[in-house]
Amino acid sequence: MIHELTRLGFLVSGRGSNLQAIIQACKDKKLYAEPAVVISNNASAGALDIARSESIPAIHISRNTHPDIDQLDRAITETLQQHQADLVILAGYMKKIGPVLLKAYRNRIINIHPSLLPKFGGQGMYGMRVHAAVLAAGERVTGATVHLVDYDYDSGPILGQRQVEVLAGDNPESLAIRVLAAEHALLVEVLQDIIKGKIILPDH
Ligand code: GRF
């Protein structure tokens, strides 16, 4: 079957504001795509509730449902394939991607990170820790990065970045709010550039 719209598969762990931003952009036709499936390792993730309320298939797959790590990797991959996802978006996914998924969706897995990578990335750099580290380092500018996913954390080729000024008096929470707004805009922009062929992904 040929789909007119690019089908997006999501892996999520938390509240799902990036997922929500993409769903809205699809509805507003700012993004020529359709959400195909949302998978979470966390059965109580807000992102699953968002998906359900939008009638998008919402599926919990984790070490609880699949204790064997290889079976878990295969189950995630097969679920994305069954829902005919063309691209996979890691929208706040806190688990490492397995080799089966990486191979099946080589150069088709996209992550959003709340800093200007390669700064403030890597294992353990997530959530407020990122913004606290930015402030501790005295950075004047931070931002968001969208990149392709490879075998390591936060290390694949960068597809787009958006800067956010660090203001006097910022704390991690205030900075996080402005970076999150930048993430939402950047993710939609990069996805649309991929779909329109303005950004050409390496061979699958
Ligand atoms: C975002 O800050 C994203 O950059 C990071 O995880 C967070 C997810 O937020 N990878 P949300 O669940 O999309 O609201």
Side-chain angles (χ1 to χ4, degrees):
M1 189 199 218
I2 295 167
H3 296 280
E4 207 175 305
L5 296 172
T6 299
R7 289 176 64 79
L8 306 175
F10 295 86
L11 295 181
V12 294
S13 299
R15 77 194 145 182
S17 71
N18 279 286
L19 169 68
Q20 181 83 72
I22 296 174
I23 293 171
Q24 194 57 49
C26 292
K27 285 185 176 175
D28 295 343
K29 312 238 184 303
K30 282 188 197 147
L31 193 54
Y32 306 142
E34 57 186 335
V37 63
V38 177
I39 299 170
S40 182
N41 62 300
N42 171 9
S44 54
L48 285 179
D49 294 329
I50 292 173
R52 285 189 200 105
S53 71
E54 300 283 348
S55 304
I56 300 163
I59 302 168
H60 166 225
I61 306 179
S62 71
R63 288 302 279 270
N64 293 332
T65 61
H66 296 77
D68 178 84
I69 192 126
D70 297 326
Q71 279 180 17
L72 173 66
D73 187 9
R74 276 199 296 278
I76 292 171
T77 307
E78 283 164 13
T79 303
L80 289 163
Q81 289 170 334
Q82 276 157 14
H83 289 83
Q84 297 172 302
D86 301 306
L87 292 174
V88 179
I89 322 288
L90 308 187
Y93 188 57
M94 302 301 287
K95 297 285 171 190
K96 202 155 185 184
I97 298 302
V100 175
L101 177 55
L102 266 176
K103 188 161 179 247
Y105 280 91
R106 187 165 165 259
N107 294 324
R108 295 296 178 273
I109 307 175
I110 288 155
N111 186 42
I112 175 93
H113 184 81
S115 77
L116 296 175
L117 291 174
K119 285 185 164 183
F120 308 103
Q123 193 161 15
M125 268 295 176
Y126 58 86
M128 286 303 159
R129 292 183 188 198
V130 176
H131 307 300
V134 166
L135 292 172
E139 298 285 321
R140 296 196 161 174
V141 177
T142 183
T145 301
V146 172
H147 66 95
L148 279 179
V149 172
D150 63 13
Y151 283 86
D152 215 346
Y153 283 100
D154 302 327
S155 69
I158 289 172
L159 301 174
Q161 291 188 310
R162 193 174 267 233
Q163 295 194 344
V164 172
E165 198 184 343
V166 179
L167 303 177
D170 257 334
N171 55 39
E173 289 74 20
S174 64
L175 197 49
I177 290 170
R178 296 201 310 284
V179 172
L180 193 63
E183 289 182 38
H184 297 163
L186 176 68
L187 191 50
V188 170
E189 185 185 291
V190 169
L191 285 172
Q192 185 66 335
D193 282 352
I194 292 170
I195 290 164
K196 286 198 304 199
K198 236 171 114 184
I199 293 177
I200 301 190
L201 298 180
D203 276 353
H204 181 38

